[in-house]
Amino acid sequence: MPAPDALRLRPAANEDEDGTLATARAVVAFTRTSSRRYNRARTSVGGLFVDIYSNTLALGCVLAIAGSFVFALRDEIARRDPAQGGLADQQWQILPAEVLWILLTYLALNGLLTLTRRLGPASVSSSEGSWWRPLPVDRRPMVLPGLIRLIGGAGVAGPAAYLPFSLLTALDRTPTGHLLTAGTFGLVAVIVVGGGALLQLRASSGRRDVLWPALALLPLAVLPSLGPAVWPPLVACALAIGMLAYSLPKVGAVAGAELVRGGGVSGHAGASVFLLDINELSRALAASPRHTASMRGAKIYARQGLGPRSAIARADIVAFLRLQPGVAGPLVWLGACLALVLADAALPAVVQLLVIVVAGCVTSAGMGVVARRTALVPELDLLLPVSTSVVMLSRTLMPAVAMSAWMVALTGALTIVGVGGPALILLGAVAGLGMGAGSVRAATRPATDWTAPAAETPFGPVPRTQIAALFRGADVTVLSMLPLLLALYIGNVYPWLVGVQIAISAAAIVIQMAAKSTTQSGA
């Protein structure tokens, strides 16, 4: 009998293959029926009612908060004059607002495609991989239900996420026009998920195509912005039907290793979201080490060392070069900040500053990959022949340098467009050092104590330590950006702002080193 991975049974009209398909459906039906029976036997009506009630209440609170924020910001934008601008001068507002919204939609679709590619979308869990995958039957009935649920989720979540964006970017549209635009984006999201399934098929053949999916997403990003006409959703619906008709019958040919990989990543990510663990979510969605970066790091590591401190610093540099993702993410956030500043949309300066804060926090969180890996086994740092303060200083070195370079690029571009003087670049470089310390602080969050009493929130009960852990790292990052944000808002860099910025960044690094040292010595 051939290996199960190499077996590819296709549906046909003859009797044997029909029997094979029936066998595959019977296996899936038996497994799912047994699972439902097991869950129902251990689920009480009262517990089910409490879960439904708490989830409905939490969803209502989220919708109320998000709706009030969106409509308040919409009213603020409607009252503003588009010629007033935000942080930059009017002469630099050269990017039309329509182009900005299309670019943001394109980036959102690229992010959805990347996330879909990491999670599967065709996948099986570890138990399903052990029970279903080795069977010599067609895999399509086993994989197809989960993929259809994922596509349906994308079709529902896409319009819900795009509707606030449409309300803020097109003030003259009617409610029907907003619904049509959001529905068009939902259909485009379905196309993207179907395209992720096709990329899985090409991955099973050893081919990795990056350019053509990025080019194909560009016309799709234009469809939601074509106004409240009827033909854009019709075109998107036709493309979605064609994509699904082409990709769904082929999901049975996805390699078994790819199915198990997608199931492992999606299971890890789902558990991380359920436990509100951002670090585990980052580990689940982490990309593979790049070959070129690994070769460059090996050359650095092969040089002769001068002592234990330099050896530890060199090891952290090499690990950062090997594990750190590419520069696409930081460059995208950098471009988003500049695009919002240069666009002629009537966005308040506070909104532009808020986007810069979000970009800084997200970029800083992505720089703590080495600290996030070493935090899995913190006892190994105690075996090094140096103090823990030196270890944490070495761990902070590359994130601080990378964030300082990112902030220099951002403040340099803002200086060119007239937001501030040349001293703004110095302020950004110093702020980046503190943000690097914030990334290490976020990567070394303590484990949640699930035995402590939960705190009641509008979104349901949450462990008290988990609430503090969610803000750990982001607090230092935002604090390190405060002098810079103040300088951007007032349009000038005073000498005392530079002094405050140096003090905050130095304190962030020192406090992070001391906190890590105290934690390890107490352990």
Side-chain angles (χ1 to χ4, degrees):
M1 179 180 293
D5 231 18
L7 191 58
R8 296 289 182 270
L9 298 179
R10 294 187 298 271
N14 64 56
E15 189 172 320
D16 293 336
E17 292 183 352
D18 286 343
T20 302
L21 286 175
T23 303
R25 295 190 182 96
V27 170
V28 175
F30 169 75
T31 306
R32 299 196 186 282
T33 303
S34 301
S35 177
R36 284 194 297 268
R37 187 182 301 115
Y38 178 85
N39 292 331
R40 289 171 182 172
R42 286 159 177 79
T43 302
S44 63
V45 178
L48 183 62
F49 174 77
V50 170
D51 290 341
I52 295 176
Y53 174 78
S54 59
N55 291 332
T56 304
L57 182 62
L59 180 61
C61 292
V62 170
L63 293 179
I65 294 174
S68 61
F69 174 77
V70 168
F71 282 104
L73 184 57
R74 176 185 170 90
D75 294 339
E76 176 66 22
I77 295 175
R79 287 195 300 263
R80 289 178 59 85
D81 184 5
Q84 290 180 357
L87 296 178
D89 296 333
Q90 298 180 17
Q91 60 179 347
W92 283 101
Q93 293 177 354
I94 57 177
L95 185 64
E98 293 77 9
V99 177
L100 173 63
W101 310 141
I102 292 175
L103 290 178
L104 292 180
T105 305
Y106 175 72
L107 293 178
L109 293 178
N110 269 287
L112 178 61
L113 180 62
T114 302
L115 181 62
T116 302
R117 189 63 190 88
R118 296 276 175 84
L119 296 178
S123 61
V124 294
S125 63
S126 58
S127 57
E128 292 171 343
S130 302
W131 163 228
W132 288 348
R133 191 174 64 89
L135 297 178
V137 293
D138 183 36
R139 293 176 182 156
R140 187 180 58 181
M142 304 176 180
V143 181
L144 194 57
L147 179 58
I148 292 177
R149 286 193 298 269
L150 180 61
I151 292 174
V156 173
Y162 194 82
L163 185 59
F165 182 78
S166 178
L167 290 172
L168 294 176
T169 57
L171 304 179
D172 55 343
R173 283 179 186 168
T174 61
T176 304
H178 288 297
L179 292 178
L180 288 175
T181 303
T184 304
F185 183 82
L187 293 172
V188 172
V190 170
I191 298 173
V192 172
V193 176
L198 289 182
L199 291 179
Q200 277 190 292
L201 293 172
R202 303 179 74 88
S204 62
S205 62
R207 298 181 60 181
R208 295 187 61 185
D209 297 308
V210 179
L211 182 59
W212 72 266
L215 295 177
L217 290 180
L218 188 56
L220 295 178
V222 180
L223 281 177
S225 63
L226 293 179
V230 179
W231 68 269
L234 293 179
V235 172
C237 182
L239 293 177
I241 293 175
M243 175 63 73
L244 296 182
Y246 181 76
S247 60
L248 292 185
K250 298 179 180 296
V251 295
V254 177
E258 177 65 19
L259 294 176
V260 174
R261 182 208 64 80
V265 173
S266 59
H268 192 181
S272 304
V273 173
F274 179 78
L275 298 175
L276 299 177
D277 195 334
I278 305 300
N279 285 331
E280 282 298 327
L281 181 62
S282 301
R283 295 186 188 104
L285 301 179
S288 315
R290 294 169 295 154
H291 177 71
T292 55
S294 300
M295 296 298 295
R296 195 181 306 116
K299 294 178 181 179
I300 297 176
Y301 196 75
R303 297 177 183 177
Q304 184 178 1
L306 300 177
R309 292 181 178 84
S310 63
I312 293 173
R314 183 184 303 174
D316 286 330
I317 293 173
V318 172
F320 184 86
L321 294 177
R322 289 188 68 250
L323 301 176
Q324 187 64 32
V327 298
L331 289 180
V332 165
W333 282 107
L334 181 65
C337 295
L338 295 178
L340 286 177
V341 172
L342 295 177
D344 60 2
L347 294 177
V350 177
V351 176
Q352 296 178 355
L353 292 177
L354 180 61
V355 173
I356 293 176
V357 171
V358 173
C361 291
V362 174
T363 306
S364 175
M367 297 297 173
V369 58
V370 177
R372 196 174 295 116
R373 293 289 186 93
T374 55
L376 292 174
V377 190
E379 294 81 6
L380 293 179
D381 289 343
L382 299 175
L383 303 177
L384 299 174
V386 293
S387 64
T388 54
S389 298
V390 175
V391 174
M392 286 310 302
L393 181 61
S394 174
R395 204 82 78 225
T396 312
L397 175 62
M398 286 305 294
V401 172
M403 286 307 304
S404 182
W406 188 82
M407 290 298 294
V408 165
L410 176 61
T411 52
L414 293 178
T415 301
I416 294 176
V417 300
V419 176
L424 188 66
I425 301 177
L426 174 62
L427 206 63
V430 179
L433 300 178
M435 296 169 68
S439 67
V440 178
R441 176 179 170 84
T444 55
R445 293 187 179 103
T448 302
D449 183 11
W450 295 100
T451 62
E456 291 295 335
T457 66
F459 314 107
V462 179
R464 298 180 185 274
T465 56
Q466 188 66 23
I467 297 177
L470 288 176
F471 295 99
R472 180 183 172 93
D475 51 358
V476 173
T477 302
V478 175
L479 182 63
S480 300
M481 297 181 69
L482 283 180
L484 174 65
L485 297 175
L486 183 58
L488 291 175
Y489 186 76
I490 62 181
N492 193 10
V493 180
Y494 296 102
W496 62 271
L497 275 177
V498 178
V500 172
Q501 184 68 78
I502 294 174
I504 291 178
S505 297
I509 296 175
V510 173
I511 291 175
Q512 173 60 21
M513 293 167 54
K516 184 64 176 180
S517 177
T518 303
T519 302
Q520 288 190 348
S521 61

